Each structure stands twice: as structure tokens, then as C-alpha cells.
Amino acid sequence: MPLSEQEQRLLDEMERQLMHTDADVVHASTGDRTLSYRNLLLGAVLVLVGLGAIIAGIAMWNSTVVAAVIVGVVGFGAMLGGVILAVSPGKGDASSDVADSPTPQKTPSVGGASFMDKMNDRWDKRQQG
């Protein structure tokens, strides 16, 4: 069944609103993921140190099991900390993103609420006849 002109306009308006909202979401999320080379390097070194500790824990297994487990857990923690450090943004990048983020988030929420109110009103009118 083909759409009427009013339904086609409504669909076009919904698509434009969705594209506008998706563009804001994509724009907001890309700024937060700027990697710092310093953090990446330190994280990689920490991962390698943790891997070495795990290997040392495996090598110590036959002599003292408790010490081997402790060294292995510390090595795993070092590797996990290294990965978290490597993917975290730098100090300078995070402060600029936090300062810029509130302005774009307020605008779509106000526009989105009025759009949804209009959609609800149109739906109610359709249901009533």
C-alpha cells in the first residue's frame, strides 16, 4: 500500500531528525577516543612486565605454589592496568572534551522532546479519526 503525501512528509521528517541525532552521537563519541602516545607506550611496557611476571609465576610453580600464584596475579593485574592505561585518553584531551560536551547535548534533547510531542499529537489525531 503506497504512503499518502502526509505520511511521506512525516517519514521524511523522521529520517531528517534521526540523521541529525545520529550525527550528534557520532560526533560526541569520536572526540573522547583520542589516544595519547605516552599512555600507549607506558601501557605497552606495563603489559610486557605483566607478561614477564606471569611467565615467572609459571616457572616458580614447582618450588613454591603460593608465591607463584601471587606473582601470577600481580602480573595479570599489571597487564590489565597496562591495557587500561594504553586505551585511556591523554590528560589534555579529556578536559577539552568535558568543556565542550554539555552544549551539544542540551540542544537535541529540547528539539527531540518537541518532535516527539508533535508525533504523539499526530498519532492521537489519527486514532481519533
Side-chain angles (χ1 to χ4, degrees):
M1 173 184 340
L3 297 175
S4 68
E5 289 181 23
Q6 181 182 4
E7 291 172 337
Q8 186 64 39
R9 278 184 277 137
L10 182 62
L11 181 62
D12 291 339
E13 185 178 345
M14 288 171 55
E15 286 177 353
R16 280 193 304 269
Q17 184 68 23
L18 181 63
M19 293 299 262
H20 176 70
T21 306
D22 285 348
D24 290 343
V25 170
V26 170
H27 177 67
S29 66
T30 55
D32 295 339
R33 302 301 294 171
T34 309
L35 295 178
S36 168
Y37 289 115
R38 178 180 168 269
N39 287 355
L40 190 62
L41 182 64
L42 289 175
V45 168
L46 199 55
V47 166
L48 291 175
V49 168
L51 184 63
I54 289 176
I55 292 172
I58 292 171
M60 292 171 41
W61 187 260
N62 289 335
S63 61
T64 56
V65 176
V66 175
V69 169
I70 292 172
V71 169
V73 168
V74 169
F76 178 76
M79 288 178 66
L80 184 64
V83 169
I84 291 171
L85 180 65
V87 299
S88 65
K91 291 179 184 176
D93 298 334
S95 63
S96 66
D97 289 340
V98 170
D100 294 339
S101 63
T103 305
Q105 290 177 354
K106 289 181 182 176
T107 305
S109 64
V110 172
S114 64
F115 175 74
M116 290 305 293
D117 289 339
K118 287 191 289 186
M119 295 299 294
N120 286 333
D121 291 340
R122 288 179 182 175
W123 178 257
D124 290 339
K125 287 178 185 176
R126 274 193 197 156
Q127 295 299 318
Q128 293 173 356

